[in-house]
Amino acid sequence: MSDTKTSSVARTTRIDNNRTIYKFAGMAEDSNSVKAVEKELKDPGLSGDALVVNSKKKKAKAKGKAKPQHEGKEKTHRKMKTPKEESMDFEDSGDRSSQVNVKEEPEEDPDFVTKGNGKKRKRKVDNTDGPSSTSEASLPKKKKKKPAEEGQENSATVKKKFKGKKEKVIKEEGGRSVSTKKKKTKEEIETARALKIKKKEEEEKQRWRWWEEEKYEDGIKWRFLEHKGPYFPPEYQPLPDDIKFYYNGKPVKLSLPAEEVALFFAQMLDHEYTTKEVFRNNFFRDWRKEMTLEERQLIMDLNKCDFGELHAMHKQKVEARKNLNKEEKLVNKEANQKIVDEYGYCVLDHHRERIGNFKIEPPGLFRGRGDHPKQGMLKKRIQPEDVIINCSKDSRIPEPPAGHRWKEVRHDNTVTWLASWTENVQGSCKYVMLNANSKLKGEKDWEKYEVARKLKTCVDAIRAQYQEDLKSKQMGTRQRAVALYFIDKLALRAGNEKEEGETADTVGCCSLRVEHITLHDTLDGHKCVVEFDFLGKDCIRYYNKVPVIKRVFKNLKLFMENKQEGDDLFDRLNTQMLNKHLSSLMPGLTAKVFRTYNASITLQQQLKELGNMKDNVAEKLLSYNRANRAVAILCNHQRAPPKTFEQSMATLQSKIDSRKEQLDLAKKELKQAKKEAKGSSDNKLLIVVEKKKKAVQRCEEQLLKMEVQATDREENKQVALSTSKLNYLDPRISVAWCKNMEVPLEKIYNKTLRDKFAWAIDMTEHDFVF
DNA sequence: GACGCAACTTAGAATGCTATAT
DNA sequence: ATATAGCATTCTAAGTTGCGTC
């Protein structure tokens, strides 16, 4: 809501991004040719009795979900997040219709055509069956590794260690000559580099190249699994005697369980959560359950509770931890490392694999997103007696903490989890699973992208089909077609039904309700515009105005007939039906595959459009980020603008300004020098001219770099790039792009990402096409 | 076929760490 | 030398999907 302020720079680019997105995302519109429109006009449409009956029939939901949730126009109350910018607004939508031809592109993509069928086919045979294939052809080409090449990354850490040493030396030897120091540093840097390279090589050698192995038969996830069990958080430490809780102004010594929960609340006092009515009520109810009878009789009103001292103590502790000196921090770090070494790894089929979340979640107050009805409830401490262990029969069974036992030890190799427990707030299962760089996760990820690539081969047929289905006599089929149109065009999530009162009120495609869309016959000169406004996953607002094809528009009108706020838009459709239909069109196809597919294909297309080999690395990276951003906007990946955003933008701008002045000065000097050198053959003067020229050039380069950075940052203000990078973009597209553009991969993938996508980095050649 | 649960992926916020500016 | 911006990592909530059960 506060976003109208967005600067023109950001706005322009965003619109650009949208525009490009729609080039492909609107493909469904393509066939909205004159003919199609004419046909539609002739469409007898909704005269069928069945349809009318259907539309009136209330969905037989056991939970009776379709009750209006808000009287009148209270809609805005649910909007927890800043709206998606007006960028999704109109100017750009004009382009959508004008992009009609471009939208066909994937099929006619020069890449696919010019590369020749043979090659393309071969690639398909090679890769499309991906991780699930056991054929030799599917094995990635072996590559010589070049560990030295990537040697950069750890230098920082190693260097730092040596820096510490250096300082010591200087201190001890006081006035030693500068040259000695420098020499030493150089040597050290050399050693550091060597060390780093070695480490890297070591790491590479240790890496399990599972993608070169055969896949297990269906359903089997491992043959051998051994681990130490999860790590439990430390027991509660009682408050020191001088820290007191007050009720109604009088100090009250709480029982241990009540005190622990009180501290949970006190720790959060700076957070907005603790001011919310729902949070406070839930907390208070659960807190009282932990109290002794006397406590419960005394403490009747949360407003009379004074957590001030507990809060202050907590803040002090945080501060103290921050202010630890180097040695103390190192001690802590080593202690943590020890825990990781002991509990953070498991052995899976002869390989040591990192566990993703080996720590049991500590107790605390539940922090749901948005208006969660359960926010503030007590999340209880998990005991070993709550935990199920999963491992090999013939492995060393993990020992429960002293005096405890496990809830159960099982040996189920059709699942990937090592431990699980049931969480008390929502009653759902929590799992300990492997890290993203593990075989189990990586293989699945690879498979995901292969399914998305397979969709590419049949997406046209599927689109044609749902276009056709828009005219179906069956209401359910029509609804399915419209939903699919949204999912494909707008990358909406499937939208499962949710139990009312258990979670925040959020929706996806299939669970859209009539109040979430507004139909405009015309809006700002566009016809058939659908205005979306709803809260999606994590209560992130989705706001978008989209022109749709006429048939979709007409159907939407029909679906909304005789309905009121709170009623489902697609009352004859749910995600199961939708997915069942999809899987009949292509094995493995589900609603979310469209998100993966559209995200990846957008990236590939954007990279092709934006990239310019002549650009310098900074500009290339800006292009990459823009392509990435186009995807993030499509998928509605938002983030809260960084707290320091305005300020950091201002500092950057002032830097740019001062650099500009410098540049002006340098230019003047160059002019002057040229003047002086003119006619003269004095070598010295010529040299001066050259020098000045270089200075100007340098200035220009730096200025450009900063300006690029400023643009990038501005455009990124509330767009989260990481989510799509991590979950939606086929890494092979990025790897191939880096190879083609001669950009070091480290510039776009950090260490974690490189680790996660090791399979892609290893197998991708420059000619990879999604 | 509704329902609920199990298992797994996707998500943004919170926190931690490091490189860089001052 | 220290502060801090910004990236990386951790955390865990919130989705999707498939399956078994009645």
mmCIF file of all heavy atoms in Angstrom, chain A residues 369 430 495-496 498 506 538 579 590 592 713 752, chain C residues 5-6 8-9 11-18:
data_model
loop_
_atom_site.group_PDB
_atom_site.id
_atom_site.type_symbol
_atom_site.label_atom_id
_atom_site.label_comp_id
_atom_site.label_asym_id
_atom_site.label_seq_id
_atom_site.Cartn_x
_atom_site.Cartn_y
_atom_site.Cartn_z
ATOM 1 N N ARG A 369 2.560 -17.051 10.257
ATOM 2 C CA ARG A 369 2.649 -15.882 9.375
ATOM 3 C C ARG A 369 1.270 -15.252 9.231
ATOM 4 O O ARG A 369 0.259 -15.960 9.192
ATOM 5 C CB ARG A 369 3.144 -16.295 7.992
ATOM 6 C CG ARG A 369 4.392 -17.135 7.994
ATOM 7 C CD ARG A 369 5.624 -16.255 8.054
ATOM 8 N NE ARG A 369 6.831 -17.032 8.290
ATOM 9 C CZ ARG A 369 7.612 -17.515 7.315
ATOM 10 N NH1 ARG A 369 7.294 -17.311 6.069
ATOM 11 N NH2 ARG A 369 8.695 -18.187 7.632
ATOM 12 N N LYS A 430 7.142 -33.383 11.894
ATOM 13 C CA LYS A 430 8.399 -32.696 11.564
ATOM 14 C C LYS A 430 9.429 -33.774 11.284
ATOM 15 O O LYS A 430 9.407 -34.830 11.930
ATOM 16 C CB LYS A 430 8.856 -31.847 12.747
ATOM 17 C CG LYS A 430 7.894 -30.762 13.145
ATOM 18 C CD LYS A 430 8.163 -29.505 12.356
ATOM 19 C CE LYS A 430 7.371 -28.338 12.935
ATOM 20 N NZ LYS A 430 7.765 -27.066 12.361
ATOM 21 N N GLY A 495 -3.327 -24.472 -4.799
ATOM 22 C CA GLY A 495 -4.366 -23.958 -3.914
ATOM 23 C C GLY A 495 -5.228 -25.039 -3.292
ATOM 24 O O GLY A 495 -6.406 -25.182 -3.605
ATOM 25 N N ASN A 496 -4.649 -25.779 -2.370
ATOM 26 C CA ASN A 496 -5.414 -26.796 -1.648
ATOM 27 C C ASN A 496 -6.417 -26.146 -0.708
ATOM 28 O O ASN A 496 -6.246 -25.004 -0.287
ATOM 29 C CB ASN A 496 -4.460 -27.650 -0.803
ATOM 30 C CG ASN A 496 -3.697 -28.625 -1.660
ATOM 31 O OD1 ASN A 496 -4.288 -29.410 -2.379
ATOM 32 N ND2 ASN A 496 -2.382 -28.559 -1.591
ATOM 33 N N LYS A 498 -8.067 -25.551 2.864
ATOM 34 C CA LYS A 498 -7.477 -25.531 4.193
ATOM 35 C C LYS A 498 -8.587 -25.559 5.223
ATOM 36 O O LYS A 498 -9.693 -25.109 4.956
ATOM 37 C CB LYS A 498 -6.650 -24.258 4.377
ATOM 38 C CG LYS A 498 -5.557 -24.102 3.357
ATOM 39 C CD LYS A 498 -4.969 -22.706 3.395
ATOM 40 C CE LYS A 498 -4.064 -22.508 4.592
ATOM 41 N NZ LYS A 498 -3.593 -21.117 4.700
ATOM 42 N N THR A 506 -5.391 -17.992 3.565
ATOM 43 C CA THR A 506 -4.657 -17.766 2.327
ATOM 44 C C THR A 506 -5.221 -18.701 1.269
ATOM 45 O O THR A 506 -5.814 -19.724 1.604
ATOM 46 C CB THR A 506 -3.162 -18.079 2.491
ATOM 47 O OG1 THR A 506 -3.016 -19.461 2.838
ATOM 48 C CG2 THR A 506 -2.548 -17.214 3.569
ATOM 49 N N ASP A 538 2.288 -17.939 2.824
ATOM 50 C CA ASP A 538 2.982 -17.057 3.759
ATOM 51 C C ASP A 538 2.339 -15.671 3.850
ATOM 52 O O ASP A 538 2.986 -14.711 4.255
ATOM 53 C CB ASP A 538 4.461 -16.890 3.380
ATOM 54 C CG ASP A 538 5.242 -18.169 3.563
ATOM 55 O OD1 ASP A 538 4.986 -18.859 4.556
ATOM 56 O OD2 ASP A 538 6.083 -18.480 2.708
ATOM 57 N N ASN A 579 -4.981 -32.255 -10.550
ATOM 58 C CA ASN A 579 -3.746 -33.025 -10.735
ATOM 59 C C ASN A 579 -3.999 -34.370 -11.394
ATOM 60 O O ASN A 579 -3.154 -34.864 -12.147
ATOM 61 C CB ASN A 579 -3.038 -33.211 -9.386
ATOM 62 C CG ASN A 579 -2.258 -31.966 -8.997
ATOM 63 O OD1 ASN A 579 -1.853 -31.182 -9.857
ATOM 64 N ND2 ASN A 579 -2.051 -31.782 -7.710
ATOM 65 N N THR A 590 1.951 -32.227 -12.598
ATOM 66 C CA THR A 590 1.063 -31.697 -11.575
ATOM 67 C C THR A 590 1.059 -30.182 -11.725
ATOM 68 O O THR A 590 1.819 -29.632 -12.528
ATOM 69 C CB THR A 590 1.544 -32.046 -10.156
ATOM 70 O OG1 THR A 590 2.817 -31.441 -9.950
ATOM 71 C CG2 THR A 590 1.642 -33.546 -9.939
ATOM 72 N N LYS A 592 2.229 -27.860 -9.909
ATOM 73 C CA LYS A 592 3.447 -27.115 -9.608
ATOM 74 C C LYS A 592 4.515 -27.231 -10.677
ATOM 75 O O LYS A 592 5.419 -26.405 -10.742
ATOM 76 C CB LYS A 592 3.978 -27.478 -8.220
ATOM 77 C CG LYS A 592 4.904 -28.643 -8.122
ATOM 78 C CD LYS A 592 5.157 -28.968 -6.650
ATOM 79 C CE LYS A 592 6.177 -30.069 -6.509
ATOM 80 N NZ LYS A 592 7.532 -29.526 -6.418
ATOM 81 N N ARG A 713 20.006 -2.686 -7.373
ATOM 82 C CA ARG A 713 19.515 -2.688 -6.005
ATOM 83 C C ARG A 713 18.113 -2.098 -5.926
ATOM 84 O O ARG A 713 17.254 -2.609 -5.214
ATOM 85 C CB ARG A 713 20.477 -1.893 -5.132
ATOM 86 C CG ARG A 713 20.436 -2.362 -3.704
ATOM 87 C CD ARG A 713 21.233 -1.473 -2.804
ATOM 88 N NE ARG A 713 22.664 -1.595 -2.977
ATOM 89 C CZ ARG A 713 23.525 -0.809 -2.319
ATOM 90 N NH1 ARG A 713 23.098 0.128 -1.512
ATOM 91 N NH2 ARG A 713 24.824 -0.963 -2.501
ATOM 92 N N THR A 752 26.965 -22.474 -1.152
ATOM 93 C CA THR A 752 25.847 -23.377 -0.878
ATOM 94 C C THR A 752 25.164 -23.809 -2.174
ATOM 95 O O THR A 752 24.859 -24.992 -2.360
ATOM 96 C CB THR A 752 24.799 -22.663 0.000
ATOM 97 O OG1 THR A 752 25.484 -22.019 1.067
ATOM 98 C CG2 THR A 752 23.782 -23.615 0.527
ATOM 99 P P DA C 5 24.650 0.232 7.894
ATOM 100 O OP1 DA C 5 24.629 1.693 8.032
ATOM 101 O OP2 DA C 5 23.602 -0.600 8.509
ATOM 102 O "O5'" DA C 5 24.745 -0.118 6.341
ATOM 103 C "C5'" DA C 5 25.964 0.126 5.644
ATOM 104 C "C4'" DA C 5 26.194 -0.989 4.640
ATOM 105 O "O4'" DA C 5 26.853 -2.111 5.281
ATOM 106 C "C3'" DA C 5 24.934 -1.537 3.989
ATOM 107 O "O3'" DA C 5 25.245 -1.737 2.622
ATOM 108 C "C2'" DA C 5 24.663 -2.853 4.734
ATOM 109 C "C1'" DA C 5 26.072 -3.293 5.116
ATOM 110 N N9 DA C 5 26.189 -4.019 6.385
ATOM 111 C C8 DA C 5 25.493 -3.808 7.548
ATOM 112 N N7 DA C 5 25.853 -4.595 8.538
ATOM 113 C C5 DA C 5 26.858 -5.363 7.985
ATOM 114 C C6 DA C 5 27.662 -6.390 8.515
ATOM 115 N N6 DA C 5 27.570 -6.827 9.772
ATOM 116 N N1 DA C 5 28.574 -6.960 7.702
ATOM 117 C C2 DA C 5 28.668 -6.525 6.444
ATOM 118 N N3 DA C 5 27.989 -5.567 5.828
ATOM 119 C C4 DA C 5 27.081 -5.028 6.667
ATOM 120 P P DG C 6 24.186 -2.256 1.618
ATOM 121 O OP1 DG C 6 24.511 -1.700 0.283
ATOM 122 O OP2 DG C 6 22.839 -2.107 2.189
ATOM 123 O "O5'" DG C 6 24.557 -3.791 1.592
ATOM 124 C "C5'" DG C 6 25.853 -4.178 1.161
ATOM 125 C "C4'" DG C 6 25.934 -5.671 1.260
ATOM 126 O "O4'" DG C 6 25.998 -6.046 2.653
ATOM 127 C "C3'" DG C 6 24.706 -6.387 0.685
ATOM 128 O "O3'" DG C 6 25.176 -7.557 0.054
ATOM 129 C "C2'" DG C 6 23.894 -6.739 1.921
ATOM 130 C "C1'" DG C 6 25.036 -7.065 2.873
ATOM 131 N N9 DG C 6 24.723 -7.092 4.285
ATOM 132 C C8 DG C 6 23.784 -6.368 4.976
ATOM 133 N N7 DG C 6 23.775 -6.640 6.263
ATOM 134 C C5 DG C 6 24.764 -7.594 6.425
ATOM 135 C C6 DG C 6 25.215 -8.271 7.577
ATOM 136 O O6 DG C 6 24.821 -8.153 8.737
ATOM 137 N N1 DG C 6 26.238 -9.164 7.283
ATOM 138 C C2 DG C 6 26.766 -9.376 6.030
ATOM 139 N N2 DG C 6 27.748 -10.275 5.929
ATOM 140 N N3 DG C 6 26.355 -8.748 4.941
ATOM 141 C C4 DG C 6 25.358 -7.877 5.211
ATOM 142 P P DA C 8 26.198 -14.710 -0.942
ATOM 143 O OP1 DA C 8 27.314 -15.284 -1.719
ATOM 144 O OP2 DA C 8 24.836 -14.634 -1.498
ATOM 145 O "O5'" DA C 8 26.133 -15.440 0.454
ATOM 146 C "C5'" DA C 8 27.298 -15.492 1.257
ATOM 147 C "C4'" DA C 8 27.041 -16.388 2.438
ATOM 148 O "O4'" DA C 8 26.181 -15.715 3.387
ATOM 149 C "C3'" DA C 8 26.367 -17.717 2.103
ATOM 150 O "O3'" DA C 8 27.052 -18.707 2.856
ATOM 151 C "C2'" DA C 8 24.913 -17.510 2.541
ATOM 152 C "C1'" DA C 8 25.065 -16.532 3.709
ATOM 153 N N9 DA C 8 23.953 -15.594 3.912
ATOM 154 C C8 DA C 8 23.325 -14.817 2.973
ATOM 155 N N7 DA C 8 22.389 -14.038 3.461
ATOM 156 C C5 DA C 8 22.402 -14.325 4.819
ATOM 157 C C6 DA C 8 21.646 -13.836 5.894
ATOM 158 N N6 DA C 8 20.691 -12.909 5.777
ATOM 159 N N1 DA C 8 21.905 -14.336 7.120
ATOM 160 C C2 DA C 8 22.864 -15.249 7.254
ATOM 161 N N3 DA C 8 23.647 -15.790 6.315
ATOM 162 C C4 DA C 8 23.363 -15.278 5.111
ATOM 163 P P DT C 9 26.589 -20.192 2.900
ATOM 164 O OP1 DT C 9 27.770 -21.025 3.148
ATOM 165 O OP2 DT C 9 25.675 -20.438 1.762
ATOM 166 O "O5'" DT C 9 25.711 -20.178 4.224
ATOM 167 C "C5'" DT C 9 26.332 -19.859 5.457
ATOM 168 C "C4'" DT C 9 25.322 -20.054 6.565
ATOM 169 O "O4'" DT C 9 24.294 -19.055 6.459
ATOM 170 C "C3'" DT C 9 24.611 -21.413 6.524
ATOM 171 O "O3'" DT C 9 24.825 -21.980 7.806
ATOM 172 C "C2'" DT C 9 23.153 -21.068 6.210
ATOM 173 C "C1'" DT C 9 23.038 -19.646 6.733
ATOM 174 N N1 DT C 9 22.035 -18.749 6.100
ATOM 175 C C2 DT C 9 21.188 -18.028 6.925
ATOM 176 O O2 DT C 9 21.207 -18.111 8.141
ATOM 177 N N3 DT C 9 20.319 -17.197 6.270
ATOM 178 C C4 DT C 9 20.210 -17.012 4.909
ATOM 179 O O4 DT C 9 19.392 -16.234 4.455
ATOM 180 C C5 DT C 9 21.127 -17.790 4.103
ATOM 181 C C7 DT C 9 21.095 -17.657 2.617
ATOM 182 C C6 DT C 9 21.977 -18.608 4.727
ATOM 183 P P DC C 11 19.659 -23.666 13.183
ATOM 184 O OP1 DC C 11 19.975 -23.491 14.604
ATOM 185 O OP2 DC C 11 19.808 -24.964 12.492
ATOM 186 O "O5'" DC C 11 18.164 -23.181 12.944
ATOM 187 C "C5'" DC C 11 17.766 -21.926 13.488
ATOM 188 C "C4'" DC C 11 16.358 -21.666 13.033
ATOM 189 O "O4'" DC C 11 16.357 -21.393 11.619
ATOM 190 C "C3'" DC C 11 15.421 -22.869 13.231
ATOM 191 O "O3'" DC C 11 14.423 -22.473 14.146
ATOM 192 C "C2'" DC C 11 14.872 -23.152 11.834
ATOM 193 C "C1'" DC C 11 15.129 -21.851 11.098
ATOM 194 N N1 DC C 11 15.290 -21.936 9.634
ATOM 195 C C2 DC C 11 14.552 -21.051 8.830
ATOM 196 O O2 DC C 11 13.800 -20.237 9.369
ATOM 197 N N3 DC C 11 14.700 -21.127 7.490
ATOM 198 C C4 DC C 11 15.527 -22.023 6.953
ATOM 199 N N4 DC C 11 15.629 -22.041 5.620
ATOM 200 C C5 DC C 11 16.291 -22.915 7.752
ATOM 201 C C6 DC C 11 16.139 -22.848 9.087
ATOM 202 P P DT C 12 13.609 -23.498 14.943
ATOM 203 O OP1 DT C 12 13.296 -22.920 16.254
ATOM 204 O OP2 DT C 12 14.256 -24.812 14.818
ATOM 205 O "O5'" DT C 12 12.280 -23.534 14.076
ATOM 206 C "C5'" DT C 12 11.508 -22.346 13.969
ATOM 207 C "C4'" DT C 12 10.580 -22.477 12.782
ATOM 208 O "O4'" DT C 12 11.330 -22.507 11.550
ATOM 209 C "C3'" DT C 12 9.744 -23.772 12.791
ATOM 210 O "O3'" DT C 12 8.476 -23.449 12.299
ATOM 211 C "C2'" DT C 12 10.444 -24.612 11.751
ATOM 212 C "C1'" DT C 12 10.741 -23.499 10.749
ATOM 213 N N1 DT C 12 11.620 -23.851 9.625
ATOM 214 C C2 DT C 12 11.451 -23.160 8.453
ATOM 215 O O2 DT C 12 10.639 -22.267 8.318
ATOM 216 N N3 DT C 12 12.255 -23.561 7.421
ATOM 217 C C4 DT C 12 13.207 -24.568 7.451
ATOM 218 O O4 DT C 12 13.866 -24.827 6.455
ATOM 219 C C5 DT C 12 13.352 -25.242 8.727
ATOM 220 C C7 DT C 12 14.358 -26.330 8.869
ATOM 221 C C6 DT C 12 12.559 -24.854 9.731
ATOM 222 P P DA C 13 7.204 -23.546 13.255
ATOM 223 O OP1 DA C 13 7.481 -22.899 14.537
ATOM 224 O OP2 DA C 13 6.727 -24.930 13.205
ATOM 225 O "O5'" DA C 13 6.185 -22.663 12.423
ATOM 226 C "C5'" DA C 13 6.541 -21.337 12.053
ATOM 227 C "C4'" DA C 13 6.009 -21.042 10.673
ATOM 228 O "O4'" DA C 13 6.895 -21.571 9.671
ATOM 229 C "C3'" DA C 13 4.635 -21.627 10.375
ATOM 230 O "O3'" DA C 13 3.906 -20.597 9.725
ATOM 231 C "C2'" DA C 13 4.920 -22.804 9.454
ATOM 232 C "C1'" DA C 13 6.183 -22.356 8.731
ATOM 233 N N9 DA C 13 7.099 -23.411 8.317
ATOM 234 C C8 DA C 13 7.656 -24.380 9.099
ATOM 235 N N7 DA C 13 8.486 -25.178 8.447
ATOM 236 C C5 DA C 13 8.471 -24.689 7.157
ATOM 237 C C6 DA C 13 9.138 -25.094 5.980
ATOM 238 N N6 DA C 13 9.984 -26.118 5.921
ATOM 239 N N1 DA C 13 8.894 -24.392 4.851
ATOM 240 C C2 DA C 13 8.046 -23.350 4.911
ATOM 241 N N3 DA C 13 7.367 -22.879 5.949
ATOM 242 C C4 DA C 13 7.624 -23.598 7.052
ATOM 243 P P DA C 14 2.450 -20.766 9.232
ATOM 244 O OP1 DA C 14 1.838 -19.434 9.223
ATOM 245 O OP2 DA C 14 1.817 -21.897 9.950
ATOM 246 O "O5'" DA C 14 2.671 -21.246 7.748
ATOM 247 C "C5'" DA C 14 3.131 -20.327 6.772
ATOM 248 C "C4'" DA C 14 3.015 -21.001 5.423
ATOM 249 O "O4'" DA C 14 4.001 -22.056 5.331
ATOM 250 C "C3'" DA C 14 1.677 -21.673 5.176
ATOM 251 O "O3'" DA C 14 1.392 -21.507 3.809
ATOM 252 C "C2'" DA C 14 1.946 -23.134 5.483
ATOM 253 C "C1'" DA C 14 3.356 -23.249 4.930
ATOM 254 N N9 DA C 14 4.145 -24.378 5.400
ATOM 255 C C8 DA C 14 4.194 -24.925 6.652
ATOM 256 N N7 DA C 14 5.027 -25.949 6.755
ATOM 257 C C5 DA C 14 5.554 -26.075 5.479
ATOM 258 C C6 DA C 14 6.491 -26.965 4.930
ATOM 259 N N6 DA C 14 7.090 -27.948 5.616
ATOM 260 N N1 DA C 14 6.805 -26.809 3.624
ATOM 261 C C2 DA C 14 6.209 -25.828 2.933
ATOM 262 N N3 DA C 14 5.314 -24.918 3.353
ATOM 263 C C4 DA C 14 5.024 -25.108 4.648
ATOM 264 P P DG C 15 -0.047 -21.203 3.269
ATOM 265 O OP1 DG C 15 -0.231 -19.778 3.273
ATOM 266 O OP2 DG C 15 -0.961 -22.114 3.977
ATOM 267 O "O5'" DG C 15 0.112 -21.697 1.778
ATOM 268 C "C5'" DG C 15 -0.094 -23.059 1.469
ATOM 269 C "C4'" DG C 15 1.020 -23.551 0.588
ATOM 270 O "O4'" DG C 15 2.076 -23.998 1.435
ATOM 271 C "C3'" DG C 15 0.600 -24.748 -0.236
ATOM 272 O "O3'" DG C 15 0.226 -24.322 -1.528
ATOM 273 C "C2'" DG C 15 1.871 -25.586 -0.316
ATOM 274 C "C1'" DG C 15 2.653 -25.182 0.906
ATOM 275 N N9 DG C 15 2.717 -26.171 1.990
ATOM 276 C C8 DG C 15 2.142 -26.070 3.228
ATOM 277 N N7 DG C 15 2.452 -27.074 4.007
ATOM 278 C C5 DG C 15 3.275 -27.880 3.233
ATOM 279 C C6 DG C 15 3.930 -29.095 3.535
ATOM 280 O O6 DG C 15 3.921 -29.720 4.599
ATOM 281 N N1 DG C 15 4.662 -29.582 2.461
ATOM 282 C C2 DG C 15 4.759 -28.958 1.240
ATOM 283 N N2 DG C 15 5.499 -29.569 0.325
ATOM 284 N N3 DG C 15 4.171 -27.816 0.941
ATOM 285 C C4 DG C 15 3.444 -27.333 1.981
ATOM 286 P P DT C 16 -0.683 -25.222 -2.390
ATOM 287 O OP1 DT C 16 -0.992 -24.442 -3.597
ATOM 288 O OP2 DT C 16 -1.752 -25.767 -1.536
ATOM 289 O "O5'" DT C 16 0.254 -26.452 -2.775
ATOM 290 C "C5'" DT C 16 1.400 -26.253 -3.585
ATOM 291 C "C4'" DT C 16 1.993 -27.610 -3.912
ATOM 292 O "O4'" DT C 16 2.401 -28.255 -2.691
ATOM 293 C "C3'" DT C 16 1.024 -28.571 -4.612
ATOM 294 O "O3'" DT C 16 1.728 -29.142 -5.698
ATOM 295 C "C2'" DT C 16 0.667 -29.593 -3.545
ATOM 296 C "C1'" DT C 16 1.901 -29.580 -2.641
ATOM 297 N N1 DT C 16 1.648 -29.874 -1.199
ATOM 298 C C2 DT C 16 2.288 -30.935 -0.617
ATOM 299 O O2 DT C 16 3.049 -31.674 -1.222
ATOM 300 N N3 DT C 16 2.009 -31.106 0.721
ATOM 301 C C4 DT C 16 1.180 -30.338 1.505
ATOM 302 O O4 DT C 16 1.006 -30.596 2.687
ATOM 303 C C5 DT C 16 0.536 -29.238 0.826
ATOM 304 C C7 DT C 16 -0.395 -28.336 1.590
ATOM 305 C C6 DT C 16 0.797 -29.057 -0.470
ATOM 306 P P DT C 17 0.933 -29.924 -6.806
ATOM 307 O OP1 DT C 17 1.754 -29.805 -8.019
ATOM 308 O OP2 DT C 17 -0.484 -29.540 -6.806
ATOM 309 O "O5'" DT C 17 1.020 -31.417 -6.262
ATOM 310 C "C5'" DT C 17 2.292 -32.044 -6.169
ATOM 311 C "C4'" DT C 17 2.141 -33.360 -5.456
ATOM 312 O "O4'" DT C 17 1.836 -33.132 -4.071
ATOM 313 C "C3'" DT C 17 1.017 -34.255 -5.988
ATOM 314 O "O3'" DT C 17 1.629 -35.375 -6.578
ATOM 315 C "C2'" DT C 17 0.193 -34.621 -4.757
ATOM 316 C "C1'" DT C 17 1.121 -34.255 -3.605
ATOM 317 N N1 DT C 17 0.477 -33.841 -2.335
ATOM 318 C C2 DT C 17 0.860 -34.466 -1.176
ATOM 319 O O2 DT C 17 1.686 -35.350 -1.129
ATOM 320 N N3 DT C 17 0.225 -34.028 -0.052
ATOM 321 C C4 DT C 17 -0.731 -33.037 0.027
ATOM 322 O O4 DT C 17 -1.237 -32.729 1.101
ATOM 323 C C5 DT C 17 -1.094 -32.414 -1.220
ATOM 324 C C7 DT C 17 -2.128 -31.333 -1.250
ATOM 325 C C6 DT C 17 -0.479 -32.838 -2.334
ATOM 326 P P DG C 18 0.769 -36.421 -7.382
ATOM 327 O OP1 DG C 18 1.570 -36.733 -8.587
ATOM 328 O OP2 DG C 18 -0.644 -36.020 -7.491
ATOM 329 O "O5'" DG C 18 0.843 -37.667 -6.397
ATOM 330 C "C5'" DG C 18 2.060 -38.005 -5.760
ATOM 331 C "C4'" DG C 18 1.753 -39.045 -4.704
ATOM 332 O "O4'" DG C 18 1.171 -38.393 -3.544
ATOM 333 C "C3'" DG C 18 0.743 -40.100 -5.149
ATOM 334 O "O3'" DG C 18 1.197 -41.344 -4.642
ATOM 335 C "C2'" DG C 18 -0.561 -39.646 -4.496
ATOM 336 C "C1'" DG C 18 -0.053 -39.021 -3.207
ATOM 337 N N9 DG C 18 -0.916 -38.004 -2.618
ATOM 338 C C8 DG C 18 -1.621 -37.016 -3.261
ATOM 339 N N7 DG C 18 -2.293 -36.248 -2.440
ATOM 340 C C5 DG C 18 -2.008 -36.756 -1.182
ATOM 341 C C6 DG C 18 -2.452 -36.336 0.098
ATOM 342 O O6 DG C 18 -3.204 -35.410 0.387
ATOM 343 N N1 DG C 18 -1.925 -37.137 1.113
ATOM 344 C C2 DG C 18 -1.081 -38.197 0.907
ATOM 345 N N2 DG C 18 -0.678 -38.846 1.997
ATOM 346 N N3 DG C 18 -0.661 -38.596 -0.279
ATOM 347 C C4 DG C 18 -1.162 -37.837 -1.271
#
